[in-house]
Amino acid sequence: MNKVAGFFTELMRRYLPDPFVFAIGLTLLSMVMAMLVEGQGASAIITNWGKGFWNLLSFTTQMAVILAMGYVLATAPLVDRFLNSIVARVATPRGAIIVATLVGGIGSYLNWGFGLVIGGIIARKLAVKVKGVHYPLIIASAYSGFTMYGLGLSASIPVLISTPGHPMEKLMGVIALKDTIFSVPMLLTSLAVIVTLPLLNAMLHPRDARDVVEIKEEPEARESAAGGHSMGIENTLAARMNNSRLLSLLIGLCGMAYAVLYFVQGGTLDLNLINFLILFIGVLLLGTPANYVAKLNEGIKTISGIILQYPFYAGIMAVMAGSGLVDTISRVFVDIATPQTLPFWGLVSSFVINFFAPSGGGHWVIQGPFMIDAAKAIGSSVAQTSMSVMLGNAWNDLVQPFWILPALALSKLKLKDVMGYTVIMMFWVGAIYIVALLAWGMATH
């Protein structure tokens, strides 16, 4: 296993560019494909790209908020003490890898944004506490748990199609969560991933101590860990207001009151409300406005890559949709599908498309209609087909630089440091998803 890990790590080190370069390359590739495969003219391609460049602006802001404020929540004293209590019980490098994968996976199952952040944070804590941990691997392991989001409570496609009034309701109806993420096959798939993935990751840890790269803890990190800061030491009105627990308590309770009223009045959980809750729970847990601002300033460092790269992916998605490339890619797989195997081919096509359209919601908008039409035409399960697109998205995310950006920002590693490991994890998770969807399709037809 160490030889396999070494092979992929060296491969990535030699040939994998930085995420921004990867986004530029995908942009140019999508344009060339639109021209050669679909016969679209250069001016139409450039027009689609430019018009679509800001289509994800709202989503980009939501992502930036959930990651920056999720960082604040994950580093709040109460959460920090809980994570420290977990870290204190870990004594071996392989044990640290297992724990990092579990925390990242369970966190992502509950909410993808929280999982992305808390996985990276506990991985750093474990790397500092447990000597001999290979730092690139523990960061990759914590990130690998992100694939659980496709099976979890914030899985974008199942949650969307379970909501009355969703954009494709006339085509497919409303699909209850009990038929998707809470179905027995998907619950068993979740169990298989959360049990086996940590064990796989632990097996990847280098046996030779000379191959281990440990974390280089920075002076400011040690000072932060010791709990020292200089805010709020002046006895002025401004300082007292900045460090007022009463102000944080009052505004935090207002936020919680709104959330309660929202649900009482029939509101449903969406990304905006998740961000709202993360903000005001964080305000309550951090205690004072000054503490919250200080932690938020740290969290903002995790979002620079997102602000730069998300518009490029929005442009790629616009090229793919405007040229018809998504339908063409899907049709290649759907044309050879049977009612039993359509979910499998949906998974594979979704994996390919996710390189170009890594946003779950945006991905569904451009691939979903074709896949649902195909499912209805050949008598395949609409619920299974929808989950196949979701799982293809979550599977590809293991090697999609778009989503690894927060982990890289938190760890201060480069993409080539971790991608060799996530490629191996991708192969394993893919095997689980393929077996699950084939078995599910065969069992119901």
Side-chain angles (χ1 to χ4, degrees), residues 309-355:
Q309 293 183 43
Y310 276 28
F312 280 85
Y313 281 99
I316 292 168
M317 290 166 61
V319 171
M320 297 284 288
S323 66
L325 272 171
V326 174
D327 285 354
T328 298
I329 293 172
S330 297
R331 190 175 294 110
V332 168
F333 297 100
V334 167
D335 285 347
I336 59 175
T338 65
Q340 295 84 1
T341 63
L342 180 63
F344 164 73
W345 292 116
L347 175 81
V348 175
S349 60
S350 178
F351 178 89
V352 174
I353 291 168
N354 200 65
F355 276 115

Side-chain angles (χ1 to χ4, degrees), residues 189-218:
T189 303
S190 301
L191 183 63
V193 173
I194 203 63
V195 169
T196 63
L197 186 58
L199 299 177
L200 170 74
N201 293 347
M203 292 171 61
L204 295 176
H205 197 276
R207 290 192 177 93
D208 191 334
R210 292 173 296 182
D211 295 329
V212 171
V213 177
E214 295 191 73
I215 186 174
K216 295 179 181 178
E217 193 179 3
E218 299 176 357

Side-chain angles (χ1 to χ4, degrees), residues 86-209:
I86 295 174
V87 170
R89 292 171 169 77
V90 183
T92 66
R94 285 182 173 80
I97 299 297
I98 290 172
V99 170
T101 310
L102 286 172
V103 171
I106 294 170
S108 296
Y109 187 88
L110 297 174
N111 176 266
W112 56 264
F114 186 66
L116 268 179
V117 173
I118 202 168
I121 289 172
I122 199 167
R124 281 185 59 89
K125 286 178 175 290
L126 287 163
V128 170
K129 191 262 181 183
V130 182
K131 299 306 176 185
V133 169
H134 189 45
Y135 188 46
L137 174 59
I138 199 169
I139 294 298
S141 298
Y143 173 73
S144 71
F146 182 58
T147 194
M148 289 293 297
Y149 106 90
L151 294 155
L153 305 182
S154 61
S156 50
I157 295 172
V159 170
L160 175 66
I161 63 177
S162 70
T163 305
H166 70 85
M168 291 175 56
E169 183 177 2
K170 291 183 179 179
L171 178 62
M172 63 186 296
V174 174
I175 309 296
L177 292 177
K178 67 179 180 62
D179 297 321
T180 53
I181 58 174
F182 293 142
S183 65
V184 172
M186 291 298 96
L187 290 174
L188 291 175
T189 303
S190 301
L191 183 63
V193 173
I194 203 63
V195 169
T196 63
L197 186 58
L199 299 177
L200 170 74
N201 293 347
M203 292 171 61
L204 295 176
H205 197 276
R207 290 192 177 93
D208 191 334

Side-chain angles (χ1 to χ4, degrees), residues 347-427:
L347 175 81
V348 175
S349 60
S350 178
F351 178 89
V352 174
I353 291 168
N354 200 65
F355 276 115
F356 302 91
S359 161
H363 185 138
W364 179 246
V365 167
I366 57 179
Q367 186 183 5
F370 184 86
M371 293 301 301
I372 297 307
D373 278 339
K376 294 177 72 175
I378 67 175
S380 189
S381 166
V382 171
Q384 291 177 22
T385 301
S386 302
M387 275 307 301
S388 74
V389 177
M390 182 73 261
L391 291 186
N393 176 284
W395 177 25
N396 177 268
D397 284 344
L398 288 169
V399 289
Q400 170 52 264
F402 181 85
W403 290 110
I404 301 180
L405 289 172
L408 298 179
L410 285 169
S411 64
K412 300 184 179 178
L413 292 173
K414 294 189 177 295
L415 182 62
K416 62 185 179 182
D417 297 326
V418 301
M419 186 69 93
Y421 296 108
T422 62
V423 168
I424 298 172
M425 299 162 189
M426 177 269 294
F427 284 126

